[in-house]
Amino acid sequence: MLELDSSTPPPTSSPPPILPSSCLPRLVHFVGPCQAAKIIVPGRPVQSIHVYDANLTEDEVACFAQSTAPIAVLDAMTSSLVVPLLHSLAQHLPYLAYLRVAPAPQSSNHFSEHQLDSVRATFSRSEFPLSFRTRIPFSVHAACSAY
């Protein structure tokens, strides 16, 4: 398990470093800032990712899918719309067994009834594995809890 502190943010002007996959070749759990996860997860057998400082987007999901092992656990924050993010998760991380998505601190996620209906429709089409569980601690939680 690798846990990183985000007390010192990386400079934004320089390109992110490249970490060869031969470094940390047996890493299974990652806890830390999203920028570090995007560097460390690809090419390693990471199965559990906990990011705590960023707004999870479809781009990060696609990056995390480059793990060499199926990702079973994802814990992150987002201010993105839930439905497109769930579709991205279904497409890129089909083996998720536990998903916790919390609202990003600057986010004020309030969903319309139409958006909640889309979430219900997503789950009713069984795009996610039967073991998929979600804890989304805002208004969409009620729509997902029956599944």
Side-chain angles (χ1 to χ4, degrees), residues 16-70:
I18 296 173
L19 188 65
S21 59
S22 59
C23 296
L24 305 169
R26 294 187 293 211
L27 183 66
V28 178
H29 304 289
F30 175 86
V31 178
C34 193
Q35 287 295 73
K38 289 167 41 176
I39 295 166
I40 294 169
V41 170
R44 288 169 189 78
V46 177
Q47 299 172 358
S48 174
I49 302 172
H50 301 270
V51 291
Y52 50 74
D53 71 332
N55 179 21
L56 183 69
T57 66
E58 296 168 44
D59 291 336
E60 279 83 23
V61 171
C63 180
F64 297 163
Q66 295 175 34
S67 169
T68 58

Side-chain angles (χ1 to χ4, degrees), residues 55-56 77-86 101-104 107-120 134-144:
N55 179 21
L56 183 69
M77 294 184 283
T78 191
S79 61
S80 298
L81 292 175
V82 173
V83 174
L85 187 60
L86 289 175
V101 179
S107 170
S108 59
N109 274 321
H110 298 287
F111 297 98
S112 69
E113 195 58 38
H114 173 72
Q115 290 169 320
L116 292 175
D117 287 342
S118 294
V119 171
R120 290 182 194 108
T134 183
R135 279 188 63 208
I136 303 175
F138 39 84
S139 61
V140 75
H141 177 70
C144 298

